[in-house]
Amino acid sequence: MDKKKATLTVDGTVPIELDVLRGSLGQKELDIRTLGAQGYFTFDPGFTSTASCQSKITYIDGDQGVLLYRGFPIDQLALNSNYLEVCYILLYGETPNLDQFYKFQGSVTNHFVLHEQIHHILRGFCRNSHPMAMLCAMTGALATIYHDSMDVNRKTHRDLTAKRLLAQMPIMASMCYRYSRGKPFIYPRNDFSYAGNILYMMFSSPSDKYVVNPILERALDCILILHADHEQNASTSTIRTVGSSGANPFSCIAAAVASLWGPSHGGANEACLLMLEEIGTVENIPLFLQRAKDKNDSFRLMGFGHRVYKNYDPRAMVMRDICHEVLNHLEVKKDLMEVAMKLEYLALHDSYFIERKLYPNVDFYSGIILQAMGIPSSMFTVIFAIARTVGWIAHWKEMHDEGLKIARPRQLYTGYTRRNFNSKIK
Ligand code: ACO
């Protein structure tokens, strides 16, 4: 990186010199690592202006609405790649040739069988448990099984873990779904694609031949690609934070799943669909827009706004096209799509949303597509978790490849000053 200098003067003291770091696409960042030793910390709750690491995986330009995986634009990948190829690109940085791709695919499908003990863990849960709760527990429980790949300091172990998680996340996810419906578990097939296997494991019956619908398979594959990585979002920052202590990869993934579940993050797709259903008809939209703008009302327009994008989320554009394709193909009722499109139009022409640069994000249309495919809303964030697993692992691997530094933020203490203790219970 090309280094320039910045100086910081606090209360007229001797100026502190800071390096200005330049990212490969020109972004400027002040290197404040020496400030602590000089008695100063920076204050940035929610990390609105803080880069916690350097990374070569994903680039976002929120003002321009740009998203690149290893330099490749997201729309090109969504239209011309497949999820496993994107996984390879995210994990290894380059596009695979055919031989590398087949080897990689084979090394993932090699792990298509889940340890039987995981079934017992699942069977301990109430049938009506939320699938994200079950998935979180199951991913963490893998640490009780795969002792042969938990030495985080060994590259071979990290690579083995990556393949295992890519293979087994969709198996565990579909098991959560089938368990909640009392259906027998189905294992993936080596001759189906990654997305095709998710549909197969969720919807097939052991006694019937299952034919994967190519339109739905392609749509799901696109959804997986669009959600595969998004640099230092809450769940990815979580995995880096948890992993920075040297914790085993399965505990790290469980923590990321937990973080993703929140409605401000991956839970937004489920919340968005529920919101669209609650709005119900286009006539009700103005009332809900009014509520979203009212500071005394906790209601927010789900699927709208983003910490980084202050322009149209490039993933939302692809998602809207897939949504049309799937709804047309399935010839299902388009009521929710109509509500979504009208809501988008009205919000984009409303000064509240314009001034705050609030645009539809990736979750605005994804719920409508998943619902049309027959996936229940409680599984939406689970599908997101399957897709994001590769991003989490890519960041976890990158962090280990580059050498660990434990995440240990400081704070601005605003509590009591020193005082003497006198017990009131004596
Ligand atoms: N509806 C109404 N107002 C909103 C919305 C929204 N969806 N999002 C932001 N605002 C308003 C805030 O009230 C705030 O207004 P103010 O300046 O008058 O106080 C302003 O816009 C800035 O909002 P912040 O909350 O400061 O923005 P932040 O970057 O912290 O939050 C977030 C981003 C969490 C995504 C937010 O926009 C939100 O809650 N959106 C709805 C949930 C959602 O769709 N999440 C999915 C994100 S994408 C993903 O994780 C895959």
Side-chain angles (χ1 to χ4, degrees), residues 130-132 173-174 176-178 180-181 183 202-203 269-271 273-274 277 366-384:
H130 195 288
M132 280 299 276
S174 57
C176 294
Y177 169 72
R178 295 185 77 96
S180 64
R181 280 163 172 68
K183 292 184 174 183
M202 283 186 74
F203 300 124
N269 51 15
E270 185 178 354
L273 189 85
L274 297 176
E277 285 175 342
S366 63
I368 303 177
I369 309 173
L370 294 172
Q371 189 195 47
M373 285 176 168
I375 297 174
S377 60
S378 61
M379 283 294 289
F380 291 179
T381 316
V382 173
I383 299 288
F384 191 160

PDB file of all heavy atoms in Angstrom, residues 130-132 173-174 176-178 180-181 183 202-203 269-271 273-274 277 366-384:
ATOM      1  N   HIS A 130     -37.346 -22.799  16.366  1.00  0.00           N
ATOM      2  CA  HIS A 130     -36.987 -22.042  15.157  1.00  0.00           C
ATOM      3  C   HIS A 130     -35.769 -22.722  14.528  1.00  0.00           C
ATOM      4  O   HIS A 130     -34.809 -23.073  15.229  1.00  0.00           O
ATOM      5  CB  HIS A 130     -36.664 -20.584  15.499  1.00  0.00           C
ATOM      6  CG  HIS A 130     -36.651 -19.708  14.274  1.00  0.00           C
ATOM      7  ND1 HIS A 130     -35.654 -19.763  13.327  1.00  0.00           N
ATOM      8  CD2 HIS A 130     -37.538 -18.772  13.817  1.00  0.00           C
ATOM      9  CE1 HIS A 130     -35.918 -18.896  12.348  1.00  0.00           C
ATOM     10  NE2 HIS A 130     -37.059 -18.286  12.629  1.00  0.00           N
ATOM     11  N   PRO A 131     -35.797 -22.936  13.193  1.00  0.00           N
ATOM     12  CA  PRO A 131     -34.663 -23.621  12.547  1.00  0.00           C
ATOM     13  C   PRO A 131     -33.319 -22.930  12.758  1.00  0.00           C
ATOM     14  O   PRO A 131     -32.279 -23.602  12.785  1.00  0.00           O
ATOM     15  CB  PRO A 131     -35.044 -23.661  11.065  1.00  0.00           C
ATOM     16  CG  PRO A 131     -36.291 -22.889  10.916  1.00  0.00           C
ATOM     17  CD  PRO A 131     -36.893 -22.688  12.254  1.00  0.00           C
ATOM     18  N   MET A 132     -33.316 -21.603  12.921  1.00  0.00           N
ATOM     19  CA  MET A 132     -32.026 -20.929  13.170  1.00  0.00           C
ATOM     20  C   MET A 132     -31.461 -21.318  14.530  1.00  0.00           C
ATOM     21  O   MET A 132     -30.241 -21.413  14.705  1.00  0.00           O
ATOM     22  CB  MET A 132     -32.187 -19.404  13.087  1.00  0.00           C
ATOM     23  CG  MET A 132     -32.213 -18.864  11.683  1.00  0.00           C
ATOM     24  SD  MET A 132     -30.693 -19.189  10.748  1.00  0.00           S
ATOM     25  CE  MET A 132     -29.643 -17.838  11.265  1.00  0.00           C
ATOM     26  N   ALA A 173     -29.303 -27.805   7.525  1.00  0.00           N
ATOM     27  CA  ALA A 173     -30.411 -26.852   7.336  1.00  0.00           C
ATOM     28  C   ALA A 173     -31.682 -27.583   6.904  1.00  0.00           C
ATOM     29  O   ALA A 173     -32.766 -27.344   7.452  1.00  0.00           O
ATOM     30  CB  ALA A 173     -30.013 -25.816   6.292  1.00  0.00           C
ATOM     31  N   SER A 174     -31.545 -28.483   5.932  1.00  0.00           N
ATOM     32  CA  SER A 174     -32.758 -29.170   5.463  1.00  0.00           C
ATOM     33  C   SER A 174     -33.278 -30.134   6.523  1.00  0.00           C
ATOM     34  O   SER A 174     -34.480 -30.362   6.632  1.00  0.00           O
ATOM     35  CB  SER A 174     -32.499 -29.885   4.138  1.00  0.00           C
ATOM     36  OG  SER A 174     -31.449 -30.781   4.292  1.00  0.00           O
ATOM     37  N   CYS A 176     -33.248 -29.521   9.711  1.00  0.00           N
ATOM     38  CA  CYS A 176     -34.041 -28.683  10.635  1.00  0.00           C
ATOM     39  C   CYS A 176     -35.455 -28.534  10.093  1.00  0.00           C
ATOM     40  O   CYS A 176     -36.440 -28.633  10.824  1.00  0.00           O
ATOM     41  CB  CYS A 176     -33.424 -27.286  10.766  1.00  0.00           C
ATOM     42  SG  CYS A 176     -31.821 -27.276  11.549  1.00  0.00           S
ATOM     43  N   TYR A 177     -35.546 -28.288   8.783  1.00  0.00           N
ATOM     44  CA  TYR A 177     -36.857 -28.098   8.153  1.00  0.00           C
ATOM     45  C   TYR A 177     -37.687 -29.374   8.242  1.00  0.00           C
ATOM     46  O   TYR A 177     -38.849 -29.366   8.657  1.00  0.00           O
ATOM     47  CB  TYR A 177     -36.638 -27.682   6.693  1.00  0.00           C
ATOM     48  CG  TYR A 177     -37.887 -27.715   5.864  1.00  0.00           C
ATOM     49  CD1 TYR A 177     -38.891 -26.759   6.031  1.00  0.00           C
ATOM     50  CD2 TYR A 177     -38.071 -28.704   4.894  1.00  0.00           C
ATOM     51  CE1 TYR A 177     -40.043 -26.795   5.258  1.00  0.00           C
ATOM     52  CE2 TYR A 177     -39.220 -28.742   4.126  1.00  0.00           C
ATOM     53  CZ  TYR A 177     -40.206 -27.794   4.321  1.00  0.00           C
ATOM     54  OH  TYR A 177     -41.349 -27.835   3.561  1.00  0.00           O
ATOM     55  N   ARG A 178     -37.065 -30.510   7.860  1.00  0.00           N
ATOM     56  CA  ARG A 178     -37.821 -31.767   7.825  1.00  0.00           C
ATOM     57  C   ARG A 178     -38.191 -32.228   9.235  1.00  0.00           C
ATOM     58  O   ARG A 178     -39.269 -32.771   9.461  1.00  0.00           O
ATOM     59  CB  ARG A 178     -37.028 -32.851   7.077  1.00  0.00           C
ATOM     60  CG  ARG A 178     -36.826 -32.501   5.610  1.00  0.00           C
ATOM     61  CD  ARG A 178     -36.160 -33.602   4.844  1.00  0.00           C
ATOM     62  NE  ARG A 178     -37.075 -34.681   4.538  1.00  0.00           N
ATOM     63  CZ  ARG A 178     -37.741 -34.820   3.375  1.00  0.00           C
ATOM     64  NH1 ARG A 178     -37.571 -33.951   2.409  1.00  0.00           N
ATOM     65  NH2 ARG A 178     -38.550 -35.838   3.190  1.00  0.00           N
ATOM     66  N   SER A 180     -38.871 -30.307  11.726  1.00  0.00           N
ATOM     67  CA  SER A 180     -40.000 -29.525  12.238  1.00  0.00           C
ATOM     68  C   SER A 180     -41.318 -30.021  11.641  1.00  0.00           C
ATOM     69  O   SER A 180     -42.383 -29.766  12.174  1.00  0.00           O
ATOM     70  CB  SER A 180     -39.795 -28.037  11.936  1.00  0.00           C
ATOM     71  OG  SER A 180     -39.801 -27.844  10.543  1.00  0.00           O
ATOM     72  N   ARG A 181     -41.258 -30.755  10.526  1.00  0.00           N
ATOM     73  CA  ARG A 181     -42.477 -31.292   9.908  1.00  0.00           C
ATOM     74  C   ARG A 181     -42.629 -32.796  10.116  1.00  0.00           C
ATOM     75  O   ARG A 181     -43.504 -33.430   9.521  1.00  0.00           O
ATOM     76  CB  ARG A 181     -42.471 -30.989   8.411  1.00  0.00           C
ATOM     77  CG  ARG A 181     -42.916 -29.575   8.170  1.00  0.00           C
ATOM     78  CD  ARG A 181     -42.582 -29.058   6.827  1.00  0.00           C
ATOM     79  NE  ARG A 181     -43.219 -27.759   6.631  1.00  0.00           N
ATOM     80  CZ  ARG A 181     -42.897 -26.659   7.286  1.00  0.00           C
ATOM     81  NH1 ARG A 181     -41.950 -26.686   8.194  1.00  0.00           N
ATOM     82  NH2 ARG A 181     -43.525 -25.518   7.059  1.00  0.00           N
ATOM     83  N   LYS A 183     -40.735 -35.130   9.015  1.00  0.00           N
ATOM     84  CA  LYS A 183     -40.425 -35.893   7.796  1.00  0.00           C
ATOM     85  C   LYS A 183     -39.058 -36.564   7.918  1.00  0.00           C
ATOM     86  O   LYS A 183     -38.164 -36.037   8.594  1.00  0.00           O
ATOM     87  CB  LYS A 183     -40.393 -34.951   6.584  1.00  0.00           C
ATOM     88  CG  LYS A 183     -41.745 -34.394   6.220  1.00  0.00           C
ATOM     89  CD  LYS A 183     -41.622 -33.570   4.963  1.00  0.00           C
ATOM     90  CE  LYS A 183     -42.987 -33.113   4.492  1.00  0.00           C
ATOM     91  NZ  LYS A 183     -42.911 -32.364   3.247  1.00  0.00           N
ATOM     92  N   MET A 202     -34.944 -30.677   0.850  1.00  0.00           N
ATOM     93  CA  MET A 202     -36.094 -30.096   1.555  1.00  0.00           C
ATOM     94  C   MET A 202     -37.412 -30.714   1.097  1.00  0.00           C
ATOM     95  O   MET A 202     -38.282 -31.012   1.907  1.00  0.00           O
ATOM     96  CB  MET A 202     -36.148 -28.571   1.323  1.00  0.00           C
ATOM     97  CG  MET A 202     -35.145 -27.808   2.150  1.00  0.00           C
ATOM     98  SD  MET A 202     -35.346 -26.026   1.984  1.00  0.00           S
ATOM     99  CE  MET A 202     -36.821 -25.747   2.961  1.00  0.00           C
ATOM    100  N   PHE A 203     -37.562 -30.914  -0.215  1.00  0.00           N
ATOM    101  CA  PHE A 203     -38.904 -31.186  -0.732  1.00  0.00           C
ATOM    102  C   PHE A 203     -39.160 -32.589  -1.273  1.00  0.00           C
ATOM    103  O   PHE A 203     -40.293 -32.899  -1.626  1.00  0.00           O
ATOM    104  CB  PHE A 203     -39.253 -30.156  -1.817  1.00  0.00           C
ATOM    105  CG  PHE A 203     -39.243 -28.747  -1.287  1.00  0.00           C
ATOM    106  CD1 PHE A 203     -38.454 -27.774  -1.868  1.00  0.00           C
ATOM    107  CD2 PHE A 203     -40.009 -28.400  -0.189  1.00  0.00           C
ATOM    108  CE1 PHE A 203     -38.437 -26.484  -1.374  1.00  0.00           C
ATOM    109  CE2 PHE A 203     -40.004 -27.111   0.316  1.00  0.00           C
ATOM    110  CZ  PHE A 203     -39.204 -26.145  -0.277  1.00  0.00           C
ATOM    111  N   ASN A 269     -34.962 -10.717   5.973  1.00  0.00           N
ATOM    112  CA  ASN A 269     -35.764 -11.259   4.861  1.00  0.00           C
ATOM    113  C   ASN A 269     -37.079 -11.850   5.368  1.00  0.00           C
ATOM    114  O   ASN A 269     -38.130 -11.670   4.772  1.00  0.00           O
ATOM    115  CB  ASN A 269     -34.971 -12.252   3.987  1.00  0.00           C
ATOM    116  CG  ASN A 269     -34.285 -13.335   4.786  1.00  0.00           C
ATOM    117  OD1 ASN A 269     -34.592 -13.551   5.953  1.00  0.00           O
ATOM    118  ND2 ASN A 269     -33.353 -14.026   4.158  1.00  0.00           N
ATOM    119  N   GLU A 270     -36.996 -12.531   6.520  1.00  0.00           N
ATOM    120  CA  GLU A 270     -38.215 -13.078   7.128  1.00  0.00           C
ATOM    121  C   GLU A 270     -39.109 -11.917   7.582  1.00  0.00           C
ATOM    122  O   GLU A 270     -40.316 -11.895   7.307  1.00  0.00           O
ATOM    123  CB  GLU A 270     -37.843 -13.970   8.325  1.00  0.00           C
ATOM    124  CG  GLU A 270     -39.033 -14.673   8.941  1.00  0.00           C
ATOM    125  CD  GLU A 270     -38.636 -15.600  10.110  1.00  0.00           C
ATOM    126  OE1 GLU A 270     -37.430 -15.775  10.372  1.00  0.00           O
ATOM    127  OE2 GLU A 270     -39.550 -16.127  10.761  1.00  0.00           O
ATOM    128  N   ALA A 271     -38.477 -10.938   8.246  1.00  0.00           N
ATOM    129  CA  ALA A 271     -39.249  -9.794   8.747  1.00  0.00           C
ATOM    130  C   ALA A 271     -39.872  -9.013   7.598  1.00  0.00           C
ATOM    131  O   ALA A 271     -40.984  -8.490   7.716  1.00  0.00           O
ATOM    132  CB  ALA A 271     -38.336  -8.890   9.576  1.00  0.00           C
ATOM    133  N   LEU A 273     -40.876 -10.175   4.615  1.00  0.00           N
ATOM    134  CA  LEU A 273     -42.041 -10.873   4.068  1.00  0.00           C
ATOM    135  C   LEU A 273     -43.243 -10.719   5.005  1.00  0.00           C
ATOM    136  O   LEU A 273     -44.368 -10.453   4.569  1.00  0.00           O
ATOM    137  CB  LEU A 273     -41.743 -12.360   3.854  1.00  0.00           C
ATOM    138  CG  LEU A 273     -42.859 -13.020   3.084  1.00  0.00           C
ATOM    139  CD1 LEU A 273     -42.668 -12.857   1.584  1.00  0.00           C
ATOM    140  CD2 LEU A 273     -43.006 -14.478   3.424  1.00  0.00           C
ATOM    141  N   LEU A 274     -42.982 -10.836   6.323  1.00  0.00           N
ATOM    142  CA  LEU A 274     -44.075 -10.679   7.279  1.00  0.00           C
ATOM    143  C   LEU A 274     -44.663  -9.273   7.166  1.00  0.00           C
ATOM    144  O   LEU A 274     -45.873  -9.068   7.237  1.00  0.00           O
ATOM    145  CB  LEU A 274     -43.583 -10.959   8.707  1.00  0.00           C
ATOM    146  CG  LEU A 274     -43.087 -12.396   8.960  1.00  0.00           C
ATOM    147  CD1 LEU A 274     -42.527 -12.538  10.362  1.00  0.00           C
ATOM    148  CD2 LEU A 274     -44.222 -13.410   8.731  1.00  0.00           C
ATOM    149  N   GLU A 277     -46.794  -9.002   4.083  1.00  0.00           N
ATOM    150  CA  GLU A 277     -48.080  -9.684   4.309  1.00  0.00           C
ATOM    151  C   GLU A 277     -48.987  -8.831   5.189  1.00  0.00           C
ATOM    152  O   GLU A 277     -50.188  -8.764   4.991  1.00  0.00           O
ATOM    153  CB  GLU A 277     -47.845 -11.055   4.942  1.00  0.00           C
ATOM    154  CG  GLU A 277     -47.325 -12.051   3.919  1.00  0.00           C
ATOM    155  CD  GLU A 277     -46.943 -13.410   4.502  1.00  0.00           C
ATOM    156  OE1 GLU A 277     -46.746 -13.522   5.732  1.00  0.00           O
ATOM    157  OE2 GLU A 277     -46.815 -14.351   3.714  1.00  0.00           O
ATOM    158  N   SER A 366     -36.029 -11.028  -1.724  1.00  0.00           N
ATOM    159  CA  SER A 366     -35.668 -12.446  -1.590  1.00  0.00           C
ATOM    160  C   SER A 366     -36.781 -13.265  -0.936  1.00  0.00           C
ATOM    161  O   SER A 366     -37.037 -14.403  -1.334  1.00  0.00           O
ATOM    162  CB  SER A 366     -34.349 -12.606  -0.819  1.00  0.00           C
ATOM    163  OG  SER A 366     -34.491 -12.114   0.485  1.00  0.00           O
ATOM    164  N   GLY A 367     -37.464 -12.687   0.047  1.00  0.00           N
ATOM    165  CA  GLY A 367     -38.521 -13.424   0.750  1.00  0.00           C
ATOM    166  C   GLY A 367     -39.649 -13.823  -0.188  1.00  0.00           C
ATOM    167  O   GLY A 367     -40.194 -14.929  -0.088  1.00  0.00           O
ATOM    168  N   ILE A 368     -39.994 -12.931  -1.134  1.00  0.00           N
ATOM    169  CA  ILE A 368     -41.094 -13.240  -2.062  1.00  0.00           C
ATOM    170  C   ILE A 368     -40.706 -14.437  -2.926  1.00  0.00           C
ATOM    171  O   ILE A 368     -41.512 -15.344  -3.166  1.00  0.00           O
ATOM    172  CB  ILE A 368     -41.419 -12.027  -2.965  1.00  0.00           C
ATOM    173  CG1 ILE A 368     -41.761 -10.813  -2.096  1.00  0.00           C
ATOM    174  CG2 ILE A 368     -42.565 -12.344  -3.906  1.00  0.00           C
ATOM    175  CD1 ILE A 368     -42.029  -9.551  -2.886  1.00  0.00           C
ATOM    176  N   ILE A 369     -39.439 -14.458  -3.369  1.00  0.00           N
ATOM    177  CA  ILE A 369     -38.984 -15.569  -4.215  1.00  0.00           C
ATOM    178  C   ILE A 369     -39.006 -16.870  -3.418  1.00  0.00           C
ATOM    179  O   ILE A 369     -39.525 -17.898  -3.869  1.00  0.00           O
ATOM    180  CB  ILE A 369     -37.532 -15.340  -4.718  1.00  0.00           C
ATOM    181  CG1 ILE A 369     -37.389 -13.972  -5.354  1.00  0.00           C
ATOM    182  CG2 ILE A 369     -37.116 -16.446  -5.679  1.00  0.00           C
ATOM    183  CD1 ILE A 369     -35.960 -13.608  -5.716  1.00  0.00           C
ATOM    184  N   LEU A 370     -38.422 -16.821  -2.208  1.00  0.00           N
ATOM    185  CA  LEU A 370     -38.322 -18.049  -1.413  1.00  0.00           C
ATOM    186  C   LEU A 370     -39.706 -18.579  -1.070  1.00  0.00           C
ATOM    187  O   LEU A 370     -39.963 -19.782  -1.119  1.00  0.00           O
ATOM    188  CB  LEU A 370     -37.501 -17.786  -0.145  1.00  0.00           C
ATOM    189  CG  LEU A 370     -36.019 -17.441  -0.387  1.00  0.00           C
ATOM    190  CD1 LEU A 370     -35.336 -17.003   0.906  1.00  0.00           C
ATOM    191  CD2 LEU A 370     -35.270 -18.632  -0.986  1.00  0.00           C
ATOM    192  N   GLN A 371     -40.624 -17.669  -0.771  1.00  0.00           N
ATOM    193  CA  GLN A 371     -41.987 -18.109  -0.448  1.00  0.00           C
ATOM    194  C   GLN A 371     -42.647 -18.778  -1.662  1.00  0.00           C
ATOM    195  O   GLN A 371     -43.288 -19.821  -1.541  1.00  0.00           O
ATOM    196  CB  GLN A 371     -42.834 -16.923   0.009  1.00  0.00           C
ATOM    197  CG  GLN A 371     -44.178 -17.356   0.557  1.00  0.00           C
ATOM    198  CD  GLN A 371     -45.145 -16.200   0.681  1.00  0.00           C
ATOM    199  OE1 GLN A 371     -45.302 -15.408  -0.243  1.00  0.00           O
ATOM    200  NE2 GLN A 371     -45.779 -16.091   1.815  1.00  0.00           N
ATOM    201  N   ALA A 372     -42.431 -18.168  -2.841  1.00  0.00           N
ATOM    202  CA  ALA A 372     -43.020 -18.743  -4.053  1.00  0.00           C
ATOM    203  C   ALA A 372     -42.466 -20.142  -4.311  1.00  0.00           C
ATOM    204  O   ALA A 372     -43.143 -21.010  -4.860  1.00  0.00           O
ATOM    205  CB  ALA A 372     -42.744 -17.828  -5.245  1.00  0.00           C
ATOM    206  N   MET A 373     -41.223 -20.374  -3.902  1.00  0.00           N
ATOM    207  CA  MET A 373     -40.612 -21.701  -4.086  1.00  0.00           C
ATOM    208  C   MET A 373     -41.153 -22.728  -3.096  1.00  0.00           C
ATOM    209  O   MET A 373     -40.812 -23.902  -3.171  1.00  0.00           O
ATOM    210  CB  MET A 373     -39.103 -21.606  -3.822  1.00  0.00           C
ATOM    211  CG  MET A 373     -38.343 -20.960  -4.912  1.00  0.00           C
ATOM    212  SD  MET A 373     -36.631 -20.852  -4.352  1.00  0.00           S
ATOM    213  CE  MET A 373     -35.864 -20.405  -5.879  1.00  0.00           C
ATOM    214  N   GLY A 374     -41.896 -22.260  -2.115  1.00  0.00           N
ATOM    215  CA  GLY A 374     -42.455 -23.168  -1.119  1.00  0.00           C
ATOM    216  C   GLY A 374     -41.622 -23.235   0.151  1.00  0.00           C
ATOM    217  O   GLY A 374     -41.850 -24.091   1.022  1.00  0.00           O
ATOM    218  N   ILE A 375     -40.648 -22.330   0.264  1.00  0.00           N
ATOM    219  CA  ILE A 375     -39.795 -22.337   1.465  1.00  0.00           C
ATOM    220  C   ILE A 375     -40.475 -21.478   2.539  1.00  0.00           C
ATOM    221  O   ILE A 375     -40.806 -20.309   2.278  1.00  0.00           O
ATOM    222  CB  ILE A 375     -38.384 -21.808   1.115  1.00  0.00           C
ATOM    223  CG1 ILE A 375     -37.734 -22.762   0.110  1.00  0.00           C
ATOM    224  CG2 ILE A 375     -37.520 -21.643   2.378  1.00  0.00           C
ATOM    225  CD1 ILE A 375     -36.401 -22.326  -0.442  1.00  0.00           C
ATOM    226  N   PRO A 376     -40.712 -22.025   3.729  1.00  0.00           N
ATOM    227  CA  PRO A 376     -41.407 -21.234   4.748  1.00  0.00           C
ATOM    228  C   PRO A 376     -40.524 -20.098   5.271  1.00  0.00           C
ATOM    229  O   PRO A 376     -39.297 -20.194   5.244  1.00  0.00           O
ATOM    230  CB  PRO A 376     -41.680 -22.253   5.857  1.00  0.00           C
ATOM    231  CG  PRO A 376     -40.696 -23.326   5.661  1.00  0.00           C
ATOM    232  CD  PRO A 376     -40.358 -23.364   4.205  1.00  0.00           C
ATOM    233  N   SER A 377     -41.173 -19.026   5.749  1.00  0.00           N
ATOM    234  CA  SER A 377     -40.405 -17.832   6.131  1.00  0.00           C
ATOM    235  C   SER A 377     -39.394 -18.118   7.247  1.00  0.00           C
ATOM    236  O   SER A 377     -38.340 -17.492   7.302  1.00  0.00           O
ATOM    237  CB  SER A 377     -41.351 -16.699   6.523  1.00  0.00           C
ATOM    238  OG  SER A 377     -42.151 -17.094   7.608  1.00  0.00           O
ATOM    239  N   SER A 378     -39.692 -19.094   8.126  1.00  0.00           N
ATOM    240  CA  SER A 378     -38.744 -19.394   9.206  1.00  0.00           C
ATOM    241  C   SER A 378     -37.433 -19.965   8.655  1.00  0.00           C
ATOM    242  O   SER A 378     -36.421 -20.009   9.349  1.00  0.00           O
ATOM    243  CB  SER A 378     -39.363 -20.383  10.194  1.00  0.00           C
ATOM    244  OG  SER A 378     -39.669 -21.586   9.519  1.00  0.00           O
ATOM    245  N   MET A 379     -37.449 -20.409   7.387  1.00  0.00           N
ATOM    246  CA  MET A 379     -36.233 -20.974   6.772  1.00  0.00           C
ATOM    247  C   MET A 379     -35.446 -19.945   5.956  1.00  0.00           C
ATOM    248  O   MET A 379     -34.366 -20.239   5.451  1.00  0.00           O
ATOM    249  CB  MET A 379     -36.600 -22.159   5.867  1.00  0.00           C
ATOM    250  CG  MET A 379     -36.908 -23.449   6.589  1.00  0.00           C
ATOM    251  SD  MET A 379     -35.471 -24.154   7.443  1.00  0.00           S
ATOM    252  CE  MET A 379     -34.474 -24.710   6.060  1.00  0.00           C
ATOM    253  N   PHE A 380     -35.994 -18.732   5.813  1.00  0.00           N
ATOM    254  CA  PHE A 380     -35.318 -17.747   4.947  1.00  0.00           C
ATOM    255  C   PHE A 380     -33.898 -17.451   5.439  1.00  0.00           C
ATOM    256  O   PHE A 380     -32.944 -17.425   4.673  1.00  0.00           O
ATOM    257  CB  PHE A 380     -36.094 -16.422   4.903  1.00  0.00           C
ATOM    258  CG  PHE A 380     -37.414 -16.483   4.183  1.00  0.00           C
ATOM    259  CD1 PHE A 380     -38.214 -15.353   4.108  1.00  0.00           C
ATOM    260  CD2 PHE A 380     -37.864 -17.651   3.569  1.00  0.00           C
ATOM    261  CE1 PHE A 380     -39.426 -15.373   3.449  1.00  0.00           C
ATOM    262  CE2 PHE A 380     -39.083 -17.694   2.914  1.00  0.00           C
ATOM    263  CZ  PHE A 380     -39.861 -16.548   2.853  1.00  0.00           C
ATOM    264  N   THR A 381     -33.780 -17.182   6.737  1.00  0.00           N
ATOM    265  CA  THR A 381     -32.454 -16.821   7.254  1.00  0.00           C
ATOM    266  C   THR A 381     -31.528 -18.032   7.233  1.00  0.00           C
ATOM    267  O   THR A 381     -30.303 -17.893   7.139  1.00  0.00           O
ATOM    268  CB  THR A 381     -32.576 -16.222   8.671  1.00  0.00           C
ATOM    269  OG1 THR A 381     -33.671 -15.314   8.679  1.00  0.00           O
ATOM    270  CG2 THR A 381     -31.321 -15.459   9.059  1.00  0.00           C
ATOM    271  N   VAL A 382     -32.125 -19.218   7.291  1.00  0.00           N
ATOM    272  CA  VAL A 382     -31.319 -20.445   7.200  1.00  0.00           C
ATOM    273  C   VAL A 382     -30.695 -20.549   5.804  1.00  0.00           C
ATOM    274  O   VAL A 382     -29.517 -20.892   5.658  1.00  0.00           O
ATOM    275  CB  VAL A 382     -32.200 -21.685   7.506  1.00  0.00           C
ATOM    276  CG1 VAL A 382     -31.430 -22.960   7.249  1.00  0.00           C
ATOM    277  CG2 VAL A 382     -32.709 -21.627   8.943  1.00  0.00           C
ATOM    278  N   ILE A 383     -31.486 -20.221   4.779  1.00  0.00           N
ATOM    279  CA  ILE A 383     -30.950 -20.234   3.398  1.00  0.00           C
ATOM    280  C   ILE A 383     -29.808 -19.210   3.305  1.00  0.00           C
ATOM    281  O   ILE A 383     -28.755 -19.469   2.711  1.00  0.00           O
ATOM    282  CB  ILE A 383     -32.065 -19.889   2.373  1.00  0.00           C
ATOM    283  CG1 ILE A 383     -33.193 -20.924   2.423  1.00  0.00           C
ATOM    284  CG2 ILE A 383     -31.492 -19.743   0.965  1.00  0.00           C
ATOM    285  CD1 ILE A 383     -32.878 -22.287   1.852  1.00  0.00           C
ATOM    286  N   PHE A 384     -30.007 -18.071   3.924  1.00  0.00           N
ATOM    287  CA  PHE A 384     -28.968 -17.028   3.964  1.00  0.00           C
ATOM    288  C   PHE A 384     -27.708 -17.597   4.644  1.00  0.00           C
ATOM    289  O   PHE A 384     -26.583 -17.421   4.162  1.00  0.00           O
ATOM    290  CB  PHE A 384     -29.538 -15.823   4.730  1.00  0.00           C
ATOM    291  CG  PHE A 384     -28.738 -14.551   4.662  1.00  0.00           C
ATOM    292  CD1 PHE A 384     -29.346 -13.331   4.951  1.00  0.00           C
ATOM    293  CD2 PHE A 384     -27.392 -14.534   4.325  1.00  0.00           C
ATOM    294  CE1 PHE A 384     -28.642 -12.137   4.915  1.00  0.00           C
ATOM    295  CE2 PHE A 384     -26.669 -13.338   4.275  1.00  0.00           C
ATOM    296  CZ  PHE A 384     -27.305 -12.145   4.581  1.00  0.00           C
TER     297      PHE A 384
END
